[in-house]
Amino acid sequence: MTLLPNITTVDVQEQAPRVAVLPVGSYEQHGPYLPLITDTAIACIIAREIAAAYPVLSLPPISIACSHEHGTWPGTVSISARTLHAVIADIASSLEASGIRRLVLVNAHGGNYVLSNIVQEANLTEPRMSLFPQSREWSRARELAGLVSSAHDDMHAGEIETSILLHAEPSLVRPGYETADHDASDRPFLLTLGMKAYTESGVIGFPSQSAPTKGKAVLESLVQDFARHMEVLDK
């Protein structure tokens, strides 16, 4: 399976989509068993499932974003919030020039805080942009999939991320997640001190509870909840 959309300009002409979906991930450490592209891969997987269910234009991902909480962890690369804002604004403008005026940002990295501001600014005069999944949709997906951890406690390289990859792209998961649980639910100065103040392995969460069946159920829930975003935007 490919993480990139496999379509031609003829496909786009025939489908004439009114909404585009843009995966936004990161390039950051995810412990010793998940790749640096984990968030990007998950954003692409969600976008791929959405494109299979709805008439949208699936775009290639933004693969390097705001991972400053990971500091100088080997392999981690970040761009500024200003740069991410500018890139998305340019993409939205380019899409509008070709007739697509609605854009959904499919975000899979919690550190991309600026995306909420980007969406709010874009919708000043009319609904033009949406952010997906939002916390309510992640929470519903966790509940329906039977995950044992919470979103707060299972923050990074944990049960939900590992489960999604075990289901959708198992070749990306290396051995070791079965014994990598790390509880750092109390992390009051994460924004100030970064991840290294709360984890040596880079993991905050419970990957030992992961299962491909959970990942499948999470994705099914998210695809179902995307319908509401289409209703709001595609008018």
Side-chain angles (χ1 to χ4, degrees), residues 41-62:
I42 289 174
C44 288
I45 290 165
I46 295 171
R48 183 173 68 195
E49 296 294 317
I50 289 171
Y54 300 92
V56 299
L57 172 63
S58 184
L59 301 173
I62 296 176

Side-chain angles (χ1 to χ4, degrees), residues 3-146:
L3 292 174
L4 297 176
N6 182 18
I7 55 177
T8 69
T9 188
V10 174
D11 297 327
V12 178
Q13 287 176 322
E14 291 178 348
Q15 295 168 6
R18 292 163 50 88
V19 177
V21 294
L22 175 64
V24 185
S26 71
Y27 197 75
E28 65 185 33
Q29 71 81 21
H30 271 77
Y33 50 87
L34 295 184
L36 295 166
I37 64 163
T38 290
D39 290 340
T40 299
I42 289 174
C44 288
I45 290 165
I46 295 171
R48 183 173 68 195
E49 296 294 317
I50 289 171
Y54 300 92
V56 299
L57 172 63
S58 184
L59 301 173
I62 296 176
S63 58
I64 298 177
C66 302
S67 300
H68 304 93
E69 72 273 25
H70 297 276
T72 58
W73 226 301
T76 297
V77 181
S78 291
I79 60 175
S80 71
R82 296 183 301 276
T83 299
L84 183 58
H85 190 303
V87 169
I88 291 174
D90 284 352
I91 291 171
S93 295
S94 180
L95 286 167
E96 183 175 6
S98 65
I100 300 176
R101 302 182 67 249
R102 306 290 190 260
L103 176 63
V104 180
L105 308 181
V106 178
N107 180 47
H109 172 49
N112 290 332
Y113 305 113
V114 70
L115 297 182
S116 295
N117 298 110
I118 294 172
V119 169
Q120 286 179 321
E121 291 177 17
N123 296 326
L124 187 60
T125 59
E126 63 173 327
R128 296 283 300 278
M129 194 177 292
S130 188
L131 182 61
F132 182 82
Q134 298 184 31
S135 58
R136 66 180 182 272
E137 289 141 355
W138 282 121
S139 295
R140 181 172 181 268
R142 282 181 173 274
E143 180 180 357
L144 291 178

Side-chain angles (χ1 to χ4, degrees), residues 182-221:
H182 179 68
D183 187 353
S185 56
D186 185 21
R187 44 182 194 274
F189 294 100
L190 179 66
L191 293 178
T192 303
L193 301 176
M195 289 275 291
K196 286 188 175 181
Y198 300 103
T199 174
E200 293 182 1
S201 67
V203 178
I204 296 180
F206 305 93
S208 70
Q209 300 297 320
S210 304
T213 52
K214 294 180 179 179
K216 182 175 185 291
V218 165
L219 291 173
E220 289 174 346
S221 176

